[in-house]
Amino acid sequence: MKPGLIMEEIFPEIKLIQQKHYQEHIVYIWEELWQESEWEDIFDLPISPKVEYSHVIHNRAVVQNALQISNTFEEFHNSKINRDILLTAGLLQDVSKLVEFRPTDNGKVEYTTIGLTYPHAFWGAQLAIKHGVPHEICEIILDHTPDSARFPKSIEGKILYYADQLDMIAIVGDRFTKESYIRIFK
Ligand SMILES: [Fe+2]
């Protein structure tokens, strides 16, 4: 068994969550997948095999971006944002990367069987459901990626979605393209 993770040191944002059981879900799920993963140093976990930038740094930036957007929405538009849902989803949405990627002997990163078999985030979402994480948080985990079948439903999920994509611009540059398409409307 590997040494455990001290999650509150890796993600200090956990301490901003009011509901203790949400904090416990994050710690437990990260630790469970950490023990199953082939990573020796959590800071070596990349954003993806193609983007070898520390996932933890990106994840923290996404959560901090999302908090700033939430503050702005509330200050200017009187929006109601549930910070506990936002933070818990933001800190769990990519936990499956631990077992979706693995380091190779030649210092590269490759997809595992889980990573090759399931859409990104599925593994984290099903684990969160199994551990009793509220469905509204599990839905954000499942729908948080551009590869998901649909956009997140809640305001917390939408903020995280765009905060995530914006942060990727800071790391790898612009990734958005405009395309013509035929839209079915009802
Ligand atoms: Fe992700």
Side-chain angles (χ1 to χ4, degrees):
M1 196 159 152
K2 294 188 281 193
L5 298 171
I6 302 173
M7 289 308 302
E8 292 83 356
E9 287 182 8
I10 296 164
F11 293 118
E13 292 76 16
I14 290 174
K15 288 180 262 178
L16 301 175
I17 299 170
Q18 303 293 313
Q19 299 199 55
K20 271 271 176 267
H21 62 284
Y22 284 9
Q23 294 188 10
E24 289 162 6
H25 285 313
I26 295 166
V27 171
Y28 191 88
I29 293 170
W30 269 90
E31 182 62 28
E32 182 172 332
L33 291 186
W34 172 248
Q35 291 301 331
E36 290 174 23
S37 81
E38 296 179 40
W39 300 95
E40 297 294 332
D41 183 341
I42 188 75
F43 290 96
D44 289 341
L45 177 70
I47 288 175
S48 76
K50 283 192 191 140
V51 183
E52 292 192 30
Y53 186 96
S54 174
H55 169 72
V56 169
I57 303 301
H58 165 58
N59 200 157
R60 288 197 60 205
V62 169
V63 168
Q64 291 287 350
N65 287 340
L67 284 172
Q68 298 289 343
I69 294 168
S70 301
N71 292 342
T72 305
F73 278 19
E74 285 187 348
E75 182 180 343
F76 289 93
H77 309 305
N78 209 21
S79 306
K80 294 279 171 279
I81 317 291
N82 185 314
R83 297 291 196 288
D84 275 8
I85 289 175
L86 183 96
L87 287 161
T88 306
L91 292 167
L92 280 176
Q93 64 184 11
D94 280 323
V95 67
S96 57
K97 286 182 180 177
L98 285 169
V99 292
E100 289 171 346
F101 322 139
R102 70 167 154 245
T104 64
D105 292 340
N106 62 1
K108 300 276 184 203
V109 177
E110 66 181 11
Y111 285 100
T112 62
T113 301
I114 288 174
L116 289 168
T117 306
Y118 300 105
H120 169 51
F122 165 78
W123 204 255
Q126 62 88 24
L127 203 57
I129 292 166
K130 191 175 108 185
H131 285 296
V133 175
H135 289 305
E136 57 199 321
I137 294 174
C138 298
E139 185 271 330
I140 296 173
I141 298 171
L142 193 64
D143 289 337
H144 88 271
T145 152
D147 296 331
S148 305
R150 60 188 189 187
F151 282 107
K153 288 170 177 265
S154 62
I155 186 78
E156 292 83 4
K158 291 179 201 300
I159 289 171
L160 281 167
Y161 185 93
Y162 292 110
D164 191 5
Q165 296 313 308
L166 278 174
D167 199 65
M168 288 303 292
I169 289 176
I171 295 167
V172 298
D174 198 358
R175 305 190 304 162
F176 298 112
T177 59
K178 280 190 172 179
E179 293 181 8
S180 299
Y181 59 92
I182 299 169
R183 182 173 175 216
I184 301 168
F185 58 92
K186 297 168 188 151

